[in-house]
Amino acid sequence: MTLPSHVPVLIAGGGPVGLTLAALLAEYGIASLTVEADEGYCSGSRAICMSRRSQEILGWIGADRPLIDTGLAWTGGRSYYRDREVLHFQMPHDPLQRYAPMVNIQQYYVEEFAHQAMRRHPGLATLAWSARVTAVQPGPDGVSVEVEADGARQTVRADWLVACDGGRSTVRDAMGLKLEGMQYEGRYVIVDIEQESQRPVERLAWFDPPSNPGSTLLMHRQPGNVWRVDYQIRDDEDPDEAVKPENVLPRVQSHLDMIGETAPWKPLWISIYNAKCLTLDRYRHGRVLFAGDAGHLVPIFGVRGLNSGLDDAGNLAWKLAWVLKGQSPDALLDSYSIERVHATRQNLAYGAKSTEFMAPPDFGFRLMREAALRLALVDDGVRSLINPRQSAPISYDTSPLNREDRAPQAGPAAAPGQPAPDVLLQDGDAPQYLTAHFGAGFVALAISPDPAVSAVLDALAAATQDAPRPLQVLRAGPGSLADPHGQLALRYGNQAGAVYLLRPDGYVLGRWIAPSPADLRAALAPYYPSLNSTATSKGHA
Amino acid sequence: MNPEALDQVYTSMAQTLTRVGESRAPLFLSILGLSLLSRLPSAEEALSLLAQAEAASLDDGAVANYPASSCAGADPARPT
């Protein structure tokens, strides 16, 4: 295909992060071209655990429904030492929740659903398969990118280049940037097999199982009667030998025998993995931005890889849209780097802890793990050490975007910089989730506002009506949204007059009790320039 | 101690053990154990913990005689 000579956003890499970003940008009316070196969706299941937060982000492009319809939801898991259960954990969940804490699904489905979302915006989100970036020439106002497609080289001029091209990012290499950090020695073989099973969908982990003494083994169900089996190999095993079917299949068979899964099975995909804790120190380099594995590699344990990549896309999409639509200066994109590098550092800290348990790197961690597992059989007090620290949204408590917390008495759950906790509200007869309002403009959530504050919010919303994504105002209290389950009171406090401003990506920007018009205007003006021009006329509303 | 604090202590103890090294680990653990036991309010509690730790260390349960050789392709040797 002939590529355009100029695009507002060029996305290098059509994996799940790149395709989701393209669809999110299209939702905001931003045109992009995504170039993907492969000729189709990924092969192999790859990242299979989609967190609640990832489901929420995919909801912004309408990809949550097919994900949930196809995927397998789960809420907890079991860990065994040898053949005895030492932990049965549950992630926070309740019957009123919008999304399950985790859904298992093959990565190629996520790519397909994100691509379908792109195709709902023809002309805005274009995808070129079999097209690879070969050179990058960054400039002050844009980036010249050389793309090889169909054997021909073309130059595409992009206002912004987003590298979503994975752990071996071409863009990163072309920019002379390197991931920094450390990697662990312990290697895991990853095997998908097809086998019918009646087992519930749970995360299953065995330490030193009789089937594979000395190893650690994980199992997850996937749609289509597929088991993911991960197991650790010994440090002295040759990784090339370890992935040969003649070395893989007997270990899998031995374990299936042990747990009594006797249906016929066949292998689908075999890969190998070792834990890495690597990141760039900045995800913005002028007009080039990095998202997903191109910017950071986190250990597989705790499923923070793709989930953090989708969080990158969710953070970046609205900021890029605001800058490209002229609503905010490009310095807003510095906050993308600050917030997401901070998130990576948290993810790396959790990931390192998980890895130290799942693939103990040295004598001390090996001994302590055995001690914890043996003690956990008889002492509940240490069982929490075995818990796999599954991915959770990271608080941006150091973000420069946060407004000063003017309602600390409302509790820590929804403080500035926190991911806004979901709440099931009631609009007349219709249940309404708070998070369903994210992925568009800013949201003002007002709890029983008095008439003066209510009028100010209406005036602010009216003054943003001509913005690409206006301010939405949600009111809770008598005569407006009801809190029938008490979740709003629990998570946001129940003080009348509280106002929360929530970002398009569902993070709390600021909160106040009975804010002055000037407070709210100052908080929103960086994102709605029309509020500056109306300051004098509406300032006393 | 909450789970987060316990997690931190676990990590610190593993790192300390690695620094002390395998050959001196029994000595280190004995010193640590003795100092912890001396902080308990009664000998009964100390003896009960000793008994629990002894049982957990020696317990190889039903898998002690598991025929590891039936696991084709895997060396039954424990990691060192």
Side-chain angles (χ1 to χ4, degrees):
Chain A
M1 75 192 274
T2 305
L3 303 177
S5 59
H6 170 259
V7 286
V9 180
L10 180 66
I11 298 172
V17 176
L19 297 177
T20 300
L21 178 64
L24 287 167
L25 288 172
E27 288 286 331
Y28 281 117
I30 302 294
S32 67
L33 167 68
T34 302
V35 294
E36 167 54 45
D38 289 344
E39 56 194 20
Y41 306 131
C42 71
S43 59
S45 59
R46 300 172 71 106
I48 58 165
C49 298
M50 303 295 290
S51 69
R52 175 182 281 142
R53 170 71 181 163
S54 291
Q55 296 167 63
E56 190 183 311
I57 292 168
L58 290 169
W60 304 342
I61 56 171
D64 54 339
R65 246 330 105 197
L67 183 97
I68 292 160
D69 290 346
T70 309
L72 303 175
W74 56 281
T75 59
R78 295 170 196 275
S79 297
Y80 300 87
Y81 174 51
R82 300 191 171 171
D83 55 359
R84 284 187 284 175
E85 186 177 302
V86 286
L87 176 73
H88 180 199
F89 75 92
Q90 287 287 317
M91 294 176 283
H93 70 110
D94 74 72
L96 299 173
Q97 70 201 353
R98 184 175 178 211
Y99 297 118
M102 211 67 80
V103 167
N104 284 359
I105 191 165
Q106 291 88 339
Q107 181 176 310
Y108 47 77
Y109 282 121
V110 177
E111 295 178 2
E112 182 185 337
F113 300 151
H115 187 202
Q116 285 168 0
M118 288 170 68
R119 285 190 289 206
R120 287 193 279 274
H121 301 276
L124 274 181
T126 308
L127 171 61
W129 298 114
S130 306
R132 66 179 71 237
V133 171
T134 55
V136 174
Q137 188 66 51
D141 305 318
V143 190
S144 283
V145 183
E146 203 149 301
V147 179
E148 191 180 287
D150 302 327
R153 289 197 171 197
Q154 302 173 60
T155 301
V156 179
R157 177 92 187 147
D159 297 339
W160 297 89
L161 169 64
V162 188
C164 301
D165 51 349
R168 288 186 284 266
S169 167
T170 309
V171 174
R172 197 180 63 223
D173 288 347
M175 298 278 293
L177 300 169
K178 285 205 162 38
L179 298 176
E180 287 176 7
M182 49 96 70
Q183 54 182 311
Y184 291 87
E185 294 294 325
R187 287 176 188 273
Y188 270 73
V189 168
I190 300 176
V191 196
D192 278 354
I193 67 167
E194 191 177 328
Q195 183 187 43
E196 281 190 32
S197 169
Q198 300 307 314
R199 255 170 219 266
V201 183
E202 295 179 300
R203 176 192 187 270
L204 298 170
W206 285 265
F207 300 97
D208 194 16
S211 63
N212 286 276
S215 183
T216 299
L217 191 146
L218 295 165
M219 289 181 81
H220 274 287
R221 294 296 290 160
Q222 299 174 52
N225 280 320
V226 175
W227 278 115
R228 157 70 64 81
V229 182
D230 300 9
Y231 62 83
Q232 189 180 13
I233 61 171
R234 294 189 319 276
D235 291 349
D236 61 358
E237 283 184 75
D238 176 355
D240 294 329
E241 286 295 313
V243 293
K244 290 186 173 165
E246 63 263 33
N247 292 323
V248 173
L249 305 189
R251 293 196 192 189
V252 173
Q253 183 67 61
S254 172
H255 196 73
L256 294 173
D257 289 346
M258 186 190 96
I259 64 172
E261 291 288 346
T262 55
W265 62 277
K266 63 174 182 185
L268 299 176
W269 179 65
I270 300 174
S271 185
I272 193 161
Y273 167 82
N274 76 315
K276 301 169 188 73
C277 288
L278 299 168
T279 183
L280 294 175
D281 61 0
R282 282 182 294 136
Y283 301 153
R284 180 184 177 195
H285 292 259
R287 292 287 182 129
V288 184
L289 299 145
F290 290 84
D293 284 0
H296 46 80
L297 289 172
V298 302
I300 200 169
F301 313 108
V303 299
R304 292 160 185 277
L306 174 53
N307 287 309
S308 69
L310 291 177
D311 249 320
D312 291 345
N315 189 300
L316 180 55
W318 73 269
K319 293 176 181 174
L320 207 40
W322 254 250
V323 171
L324 276 159
K325 295 276 187 185
Q327 298 287 295
S328 294
D330 74 315
L332 179 60
L333 291 163
D334 292 333
S335 75
Y336 162 72
S337 180
I338 292 167
E339 291 176 348
R340 294 310 300 163
V341 169
H342 166 77
T344 294
R345 304 237 180 259
Q346 303 286 310
N347 282 324
L348 290 178
Y350 286 116
K353 286 229 171 229
S354 298
T355 304
E356 284 158 0
F357 203 88
M358 297 305 297
D362 56 34
F363 162 72
F365 281 104
R366 275 193 293 275
L367 189 59
M368 286 303 293
R369 186 178 81 174
E370 183 164 355
L373 290 166
R374 283 173 174 265
L375 193 52
L377 286 168
V378 290
D379 186 345
D380 291 350
V382 299
R383 291 191 163 194
S384 65
L385 292 167
I386 306 167
N387 204 315
R389 304 174 185 84
Q390 301 288 2
S391 175
I394 302 292
S395 148
Y396 301 149
D397 42 19
T398 57
S399 171
L401 302 189
N402 295 346
R403 309 298 294 192
E404 186 191 344
D405 188 358
R406 303 275 291 279
Q409 64 271 39
Q418 295 293 324
D422 203 3
V423 170
L424 180 55
L425 299 166
Q426 189 86 14
D427 183 9
D429 293 335
Q432 195 176 103
Y433 286 103
L434 174 62
T435 57
H437 295 274
F438 299 152
F442 281 71
V443 175
L445 171 66
I447 299 173
S448 304
D450 66 24
V453 168
S454 210
V456 169
L457 290 170
D458 284 338
L460 289 169
T464 66
Q465 277 316 296
D466 295 332
R469 286 290 179 275
L471 175 71
Q472 310 172 67
V473 177
L474 301 176
R475 289 179 185 78
S480 43
L481 292 169
D483 181 26
H485 312 291
Q487 293 181 340
L488 186 69
L490 185 69
R491 293 162 195 170
Y492 291 81
N494 53 3
Q495 193 166 346
V499 175
Y500 287 79
L501 290 182
L502 310 174
R503 301 171 9 174
D505 57 6
Y507 273 77
V508 180
L509 179 74
R511 60 178 177 177
W512 298 261
I513 306 294
S516 73
D519 287 336
L520 296 176
R521 192 175 295 277
L524 288 168
Y527 314 100
Y528 293 105
S530 60
L531 295 180
N532 290 318
S533 54
T534 56
T536 17
S537 57
K538 302 267 176 61
H540 302 289
Chain B
M1 203 180 311
N2 65 26
E4 289 74 31
L6 179 63
D7 206 27
Q8 297 235 325
V9 170
Y10 173 92
T11 301
S12 297
M13 188 165 164
Q15 289 165 340
T16 310
L17 271 164
T18 298
R19 281 198 302 276
V20 167
E22 199 159 354
S23 65
R24 286 185 183 246
L27 179 61
F28 164 79
L29 292 169
S30 300
I31 292 169
L32 179 64
L34 186 57
S35 78
L36 288 171
L37 293 172
S38 72
R39 283 163 169 74
L40 292 174
S42 72
E44 286 74 23
E45 287 179 55
L47 293 173
S48 149
L49 277 185
L50 279 177
Q52 184 188 59
E54 182 179 11
S57 299
L58 297 178
D59 174 19
D60 283 325
V63 300
N65 298 313
Y66 189 88
S69 57
S70 72
C71 175
D75 185 331
R78 305 289 310 280
T80 52

